[in-house]
Amino acid sequence: MTDIEKTLENKGVRPTAMRILIYKYLAEKEVAIALTDMENAFSKADRTTLYRTLKTFEEKRIVHQIDDGTNISKYALCEPGCNCEMEQDLHLHFHCDNCDETVCLTEHKIPHINLPDGYVAENANLVIKGICDKCSGQ
Amino acid sequence: MTDIEKTLENKGVRPTAMRILIYKYLAEKEVAIALTDMENAFSKADRTTLYRTLKTFEEKRIVHQIDDGTNISKYALCEPGCNCEMEQDLHLHFHCDNCDETVCLTEHKIPHINLPDGYVAENANLVIKGICDKCSGQ
DNA sequence: TGTTTCATGCAACGGAAGTGCAATTATTGC
DNA sequence: GCAATAATTGCACTTCCGTTGCATGAAACA
Ligand SMILES: [Mn+2]
Ligand SMILES: [Mn+2]
Ligand SMILES: [Zn+2]
Ligand SMILES: [Zn+2]
């Protein structure tokens, strides 16, 4: 039993061949992945299977969904021990307008915001757009 | 010539009847408006006209587009004299999970974020989700 | 082994954004 | 005013992404 299989089982997901492949794919990419990216990478697998795998992973807190403002849902593996929905774990995301890639900046947490009276914050999403380190040539 | 007509002309938009109605509608709503909302409010007008009017308004900086994470684009009138794309004018948006409405918190600017080396920020989007003042009963 | 539960594949649907083109309306030059 | 021109509006259609229903296949269980 490999590390990935153990991880999946720990999260309550049966480690099928497909799921292991998808996990590996997510692990080796350092950027957020869209369903379409998956489709291209796994031309043999069905779109629905990829879709449902991502949803299962999300539910079991293996990945978190990222809304980077492109209107295309992206996904990235959660950090070990992260509580995606807890305020202290909400990190920001960076979307590069040049290469169109989105990355997690897991070290950069979303600052706490004081809201007007009556507003109760439960979640937050902060996306910075611009040019990424690869594209800025630095 | 009414105030609205003047405003539109100043922004370089011909004040047609339709556009004046749409502007009025946006002005009297205190929440961000989706294209579908428009369709319901103006059942006589064609969807495309509403769509293109919003795009024109956006281009001419009469409204700004809001991505609140629902994957439905919303629009709200810009504050007088605002430079939507300038960093100092980027305010945050609040989406209520209860009533599903999104509001501009124009007084709450997005805090400046220090990025890792090589990343160049050009724009930012911060959406807080939770319960709005009306729904929290306060 | 037989039964049940879960995963996968195929097909179709739905909502929202966007586009080409024709028709209508407003503006301009004479 | 009237023809020529430009801008706006309406209709039809497309595309893209996300999502669901249902049948089939594989794995776990008893
Ligand atoms: Mn992330
Ligand atoms: Mn706003
Ligand atoms: Zn880049
Ligand atoms: Zn509310």
Side-chain angles (χ1 to χ4, degrees), chain A residues 14-46:
Chain A
R14 285 219 302 235
T16 67
M18 187 87 267
R19 285 169 174 172
I20 293 168
L21 283 175
I22 292 175
Y23 189 98
K24 271 186 195 162
Y25 180 76
L26 289 166
E28 74 194 15
K29 294 276 173 183
E30 77 285 13
V31 298
I33 300 298
L35 181 55
T36 310
D37 299 328
M38 287 271 190
E39 271 189 277
N40 296 333
F42 297 89
S43 46
K44 272 186 86 175
D46 186 78

Side-chain angles (χ1 to χ4, degrees), chain A residues 43-105:
Chain A
S43 46
K44 272 186 86 175
D46 186 78
R47 171 186 189 73
T48 315
T49 303
L50 300 169
Y51 169 76
R52 284 201 258 241
T53 301
L54 286 172
K55 284 292 163 196
T56 303
F57 280 11
E58 188 189 0
E59 215 171 278
K60 297 300 171 64
R61 306 282 165 81
I62 296 169
V63 301
H64 58 281
Q65 190 178 10
I66 300 164
D67 169 23
D68 62 5
T70 60
N71 276 348
I72 299 173
S73 288
K74 305 210 172 113
Y75 300 85
L77 287 184
C78 293
E79 298 289 296
C82 105
N83 271 328
C84 298
E85 302 201 342
M86 294 294 119
E87 185 168 3
Q88 73 272 13
D89 270 339
L90 289 176
H91 56 271
L92 68 92
H93 294 106
F94 186 93
H95 175 79
C96 178
D97 292 325
N98 184 248
C99 63
D100 200 41
E101 285 186 341
T102 299
V103 292
C104 297
L105 297 179

